[in-house]
Amino acid sequence: MRAKRAPQRSLFDAGYPDHDMGRALGLMSRLLDEHPEFLEWIAADVDRGVVSSVGRRGLPCEVILRCGILKHLWQSDYRELEFVLVDSASARRFTRVDPLRPPKRSALQRCIGAVRAEVWERINRVLLGGARDDKIEAGRKVRIDSTVTETHILDPSDSQLLYDAVRVLSRLLARGREKLGPDAFLFHDHRRAAKRRKWKIPKARMKRKVKLYRELLAVVRRTLRYADGALAAVEGRDEPWIEDWRAQVVHYRELAGAVVRQTVRRVLKGETVPAEEKVVSLFEPHTDIIRKGGRRVQYGHKVNLGSGASGLVFYAVVEAGNPADSSRCLPMIERHAAIYGSAPDQVAFDGGYASKANLADAKALGVRDVVFHKKRGLKTTDMASSPRVYGRLRNFRAGMEAVVSYLKRCFGLGRCNWRGLEHFRAYVWSAVVTHNLWVIARRKLKLKPA
């Protein structure tokens, strides 16, 4: 018997697939349509002159916003996102890209990267207001904890940083000689010599290691002298390319000098260099050295997060340095009051935020129950109205671990691969906005947690 052929659907069928993901994407799209002001905010950022005049001149603001959200939702880099927009009908429908002219990776990277953290934060506040109106999240009960979002760097070592300095400066100097001519300034490429020593240092014994470090430092210092000569050679010249080239040479020359000084102090003089004085990357110099408790050292930025019973994230504060959690207790409550107009009724903190002063100050701001995961000498009755309330709030705080894990596993908050501190902040906030939009859609559809 001849098998029946399944009916063929039109290529131009509207709507999302009859699936939880499809229904959630459709509702997320409608939520974005309810706020056309988002596009005006994004347009102001894109109009700052970020978009190049070469090639595609940019993307519609609606496409930029939706592609930025889809990038986090599907955990794609820009190359994968470019393919997804060509391959997936649901992705094209959600992002509303032109199917005949899908955006290239460079256009996606340039336009999405132009949206500042402040704009993503404003979008998040509007979404929180809608969640309050829809009775999804009232913001009266809060749990607060901190985590670390890593920057996109290798685990730093002095030998790797010294080699990076030689490599980057040599590349810039070689480019300068191509433009100016071989007699413009003195330069010899020592990248191979630096690389050989960089690989030998980790395997060498201590006495041999110090000798190799001295040789590597000599190579770096010679390269720095070449950079100084190159900068002197272009002094007073006004070719179009020179300004950008000079800025890069000066930038990396300063960082290389700092790496040389910290290596001399640590390796040759045996000093302990404080974490705040260290350079751990030439490419992400804003990176902080973070150690939380007895856990491994991480390289990135500490982020303080606040969440409610719905799982929505109220705020994400990217901290400078590695401040103690106890010093961030009051600022987090004040930030919450700025969003919702008053302090919450109940707040549950991780144990690192606990102190008698923080408890008294939080109560003075109008918080009825202030619970810390570890008591640290505080009485249960001082923190909460009853032991039962204390126990419930302490269990409520434990749910923050799940929120942080969900953000890292499913929305990319564990590691930021965008370059620069401003882009780091934008990355964190865009992940939070995507997470909240997804949580609101699933709660409205009454879907099970992902």
Side-chain angles (χ1 to χ4, degrees), residues 214-387:
R214 291 185 187 278
E215 294 173 359
L216 183 52
L217 284 166
V219 172
V220 178
R221 290 186 177 115
R222 279 199 297 273
T223 305
L224 292 177
R225 288 196 292 272
Y226 297 150
D228 293 337
L231 290 172
V234 298
E235 192 69 34
R237 303 185 63 150
D238 58 354
E239 283 91 336
W241 63 273
I242 283 182
E243 184 177 353
D244 178 61
W245 180 85
R246 182 193 290 115
Q248 290 188 62
V249 173
V250 169
H251 172 72
Y252 286 112
R253 197 245 176 272
E254 291 177 356
L255 288 173
V259 170
V260 168
R261 289 190 293 273
Q262 76 182 25
T263 304
V264 169
R265 290 176 61 188
R266 196 189 72 81
V267 178
L268 303 186
K269 297 182 178 180
E271 297 180 12
T272 300
V273 181
E276 60 273 12
E277 297 179 19
K278 286 183 179 178
V279 176
V280 295
S281 172
L282 267 67
F283 311 105
E284 300 291 343
H286 59 87
T287 302
D288 293 322
I289 302 172
I290 310 293
R291 184 161 190 163
K292 287 170 63 67
R295 284 168 277 181
R296 69 179 181 88
V297 176
Q298 293 176 280
Y299 302 97
H301 292 287
K302 180 179 281 190
V303 181
N304 273 292
L305 298 165
S307 174
S310 64
L312 291 176
V313 176
F314 302 141
Y315 27 78
V317 182
V318 178
E319 305 289 357
N322 186 17
D325 285 347
S326 58
S327 68
R328 307 308 299 160
C329 178
L330 267 295
M332 298 301 287
I333 297 176
E334 290 167 352
R335 180 175 287 267
H336 188 93
I339 295 173
Y340 283 94
S342 62
D345 294 330
Q346 298 176 313
V347 182
F349 288 98
D350 187 41
Y353 295 82
S355 74
K356 290 183 179 180
N358 283 341
L359 176 61
D361 291 340
K363 294 273 189 179
L365 289 175
V367 184
R368 186 178 69 245
D369 299 308
V370 184
V371 167
F372 301 103
H373 179 63
K374 296 179 181 178
K375 295 181 181 180
R376 298 189 185 277
L378 300 172
K379 295 181 180 178
T380 299
T381 52
D382 291 336
M383 289 187 278
S385 54
S386 69

Side-chain angles (χ1 to χ4, degrees), residues 141-143 346-348 369 371 373 380 384-399:
K141 185 163 71 168
V142 189
R143 48 194 171 193
Q346 298 176 313
V347 182
D369 299 308
V371 167
H373 179 63
T380 299
S385 54
S386 69
R388 181 169 175 269
V389 171
Y390 172 82
R392 292 181 65 179
L393 282 176
R394 191 175 63 173
N395 293 340
F396 170 66
R397 189 225 62 87

Side-chain angles (χ1 to χ4, degrees), residues 9-17 29 66 85 88-97:
R9 296 187 64 178
S10 167
L11 291 173
F12 302 99
D13 253 355
Y16 291 88
S29 181
R66 289 165 177 264
L85 294 176
S88 170
S90 293
R92 288 195 300 273
R93 191 169 294 122
F94 177 76
T95 57
R96 296 176 180 170
V97 302

